[in-house]
Amino acid sequence: MKITRLTTFIVPPRWCFLKIETDEGITGWGEPVLEGRAHTVAAAVDELADYLVGKDPRHIEDHWTVLYRGGFYRGGGVHMSALAGIDQALWDIKGKALGVPVAELLGGNVRSHIKVYSWIGGDRPSETAAAAQAAVARGFTAVKMNGTEEVQYVDSYDKVERCLQNVAAVREAVGPNVGIGVDFHGRVHRPMAKVLVKELEPYKLMFIEEPVLSEHEEALKEIARISSTPIALGERLYSRWDFKRVLQGGYADIIQPDPSHAGGITETRKIASMAEAYDVALALHCPLGPIALAANLQLDAVCYNAFIQEQSLGIHYNQANDLMDYVSNPGVFAYQDGMVAIPNGPGLGIEVNEDYVRERAAEGHRWRNPVWRHRDGSFAEW
């Protein structure tokens, strides 16, 4: 079998899909995207395609190694996201060629379903209690919300109070047994993160995500010492070498690599295994499309330390299209009682509606994250 063509599709709301074709008529799909940099990642896929065309798609580990190491410069969001989508599509091809799901090729399932959480609110949390109640009414047993708006290095206590009020309202609305994740989104700097982490303890959160940016290892170490709430991070780390420092330092209780950013199925499986050796939980990052979710679920099937899965159904970013729009078998994502089933069809287990993908790619997107500023005019982390 030989690879004949790689084609990318920029589709709404903010995704990039990849189709890899072979001379035997077996095709694979991946989702190589970095939110806000979709066209850049697509260009990187096109550059990597020069090596792949004419190669046997089943030699996944060797292709990953060459595409990672063979360009001299390596790592980072764009390179690893391009490699991730290619890797997903190669696993999809191999599974289809053998008539088995990817999880079967990775050793077989340790679970048939996994717990999922629903995003509530938007970038500026408001009316979050009602959104949380609605999510619970739809069967979700865990939710995640943004914790803060713009926060200066040292800010006034009203910013803290607003965060506490939002979280308190959600906890009161859903009761004591629904998991609540609060995402600081890297918006908060060390001085205020220390305050917020301690003030949030009474609400018994499922986790606090990115209390500070992941590069601030010293701050993470201090926060980990003072917090009884599990600390989660990892969506902006892209390889096992990035995660090595975090795991060795004991800064995180939950890691959140994104299989569409962190080198695909091949690399994310290795990251998950590293985390298991440090007794750290896995909660894969995935506010993306159906191909990405399918790849995540194949990993959840085989990673023992996976405990919950992010997914984008109804997320505030999905304005033009939603998660199920691009698949011909949307029932494959069987949500029930706050869990989703692991797809068991060949490859990634989904059927991409290529005609609709091409139709929406004609419109495309140029999604960009907002640029925030503090009251003094300086840039604020989004």
Side-chain angles (χ1 to χ4, degrees):
M1 192 190 303
K2 297 290 186 289
I3 296 170
T4 57
R5 181 183 303 173
L6 291 82
T7 308
T8 53
F9 303 92
I10 306 294
V11 296
R14 56 176 193 161
W15 304 331
C16 176
F17 297 161
L18 166 66
K19 179 185 179 184
I20 297 184
E21 300 173 66
T22 69
D23 59 355
E24 294 189 10
I26 300 173
T27 60
W29 289 86
E31 196 164 330
V33 67
L34 193 66
E35 298 93 299
R37 298 289 184 269
H39 291 82
T40 312
V41 174
V45 170
D46 182 63
E47 292 174 339
L48 296 173
D50 292 346
Y51 173 78
L52 288 169
V53 171
K55 301 291 193 304
D56 188 329
R58 294 167 293 191
H59 298 168
I60 298 172
E61 189 72 33
D62 184 60
H63 295 330
W64 196 98
T65 301
V66 172
L67 295 178
Y68 177 76
R69 298 179 183 274
F72 188 77
Y73 301 102
R74 59 192 67 172
V78 171
H79 179 199
M80 297 305 284
S81 297
L83 179 50
I86 290 169
D87 183 80
Q88 292 166 4
L90 295 179
W91 280 107
D92 195 29
I93 289 170
K94 191 161 190 173
K96 288 174 179 175
L98 296 171
V100 297
V102 168
E104 189 74 16
L105 302 176
L106 297 174
N109 292 35
V110 300
R111 60 178 54 85
S112 59
H113 297 69
I114 190 164
K115 187 175 182 177
V116 290
Y117 63 78
S118 176
W119 263 96
I120 56 172
D123 288 318
R124 296 182 179 271
S126 63
E127 300 180 353
T128 46
Q133 286 179 319
V136 172
R138 295 196 305 273
F140 289 97
T141 58
V143 296
K144 187 169 82 172
M145 59 188 287
N146 277 322
T148 66
E149 300 176 11
E150 308 95 323
V151 179
Q152 282 274 23
Y153 270 87
V154 178
D155 216 322
S156 57
Y157 198 81
D158 66 311
K159 296 285 185 73
V160 177
E161 192 62 38
R162 197 170 305 149
C163 173
L164 298 179
Q165 289 171 355
N166 276 309
V167 174
V170 171
R171 175 55 76 204
E172 183 178 353
V174 301
N177 298 320
V178 170
I180 302 173
V182 174
D183 189 356
F184 285 12
H185 219 244
R187 296 170 181 169
V188 183
H189 299 278
R190 178 176 180 165
M192 296 304 295
K194 291 163 60 178
V195 175
L196 282 162
V197 163
K198 288 193 71 70
E199 293 283 2
L200 284 167
E201 285 200 349
Y203 303 104
K204 297 179 172 58
L205 301 177
M206 180 171 60
F207 57 76
I208 290 173
E209 181 172 338
E210 278 197 325
V212 295
L213 291 168
S214 297
E215 56 258 37
H216 298 310
E217 295 177 21
E218 301 84 358
L220 286 166
K221 186 175 183 179
E222 183 175 2
I223 291 165
R225 281 201 306 262
I226 66 174
S227 175
S228 65
T229 303
I231 301 300
L233 58 85
E235 67 190 69
R236 287 186 267 199
L237 301 176
Y238 308 113
S239 71
R240 75 197 91 147
W241 296 279
D242 290 346
F243 278 95
K244 179 171 66 171
R245 302 188 312 275
V246 169
L247 294 169
Q248 287 178 336
Y251 308 141
D253 306 291
I254 303 162
I255 61 160
Q256 300 169 302
D258 188 318
S260 279
H261 302 337
I265 291 170
T266 297
E267 182 70 356
T268 307
R269 175 73 187 280
K270 294 173 182 177
I271 294 167
S273 295
M274 287 172 60
E276 186 181 351
Y278 285 91
D279 207 22
V280 169
L282 179 72
L284 296 174
H285 180 259
C286 187
L288 298 171
I291 304 170
L293 179 57
N296 276 252
L297 293 174
Q298 295 299 322
L299 283 162
D300 289 325
V302 300
C303 295
Y304 177 70
N305 51 338
F307 80 101
I308 200 166
Q309 176 61 57
E310 182 174 26
Q311 49 81 48
S312 74
L313 186 63
I315 198 171
H316 51 288
Y317 301 117
N318 294 357
Q319 296 179 357
N321 283 102
D322 210 340
L323 180 67
M324 306 296 194
D325 294 350
Y326 292 103
V327 291
S328 302
N329 58 336
V332 71
F333 299 126
Y335 289 83
Q336 188 173 1
D337 299 327
M339 306 188 83
V340 67
I342 308 295
N344 58 14
L348 296 179
I350 60 170
E351 299 169 10
V352 175
N353 184 341
E354 185 174 342
D355 290 340
Y356 189 66
V357 168
R358 291 182 179 276
E359 177 186 329
R360 298 301 289 144
E363 177 177 329
H365 72 82
R366 292 188 69 83
W367 186 87
R368 299 290 183 268
N369 59 260
V371 175
W372 286 3
R373 293 190 180 276
H374 296 296
R375 290 180 63 189
D376 65 3
S378 62
F379 175 82
E381 292 283 356
W382 174 76

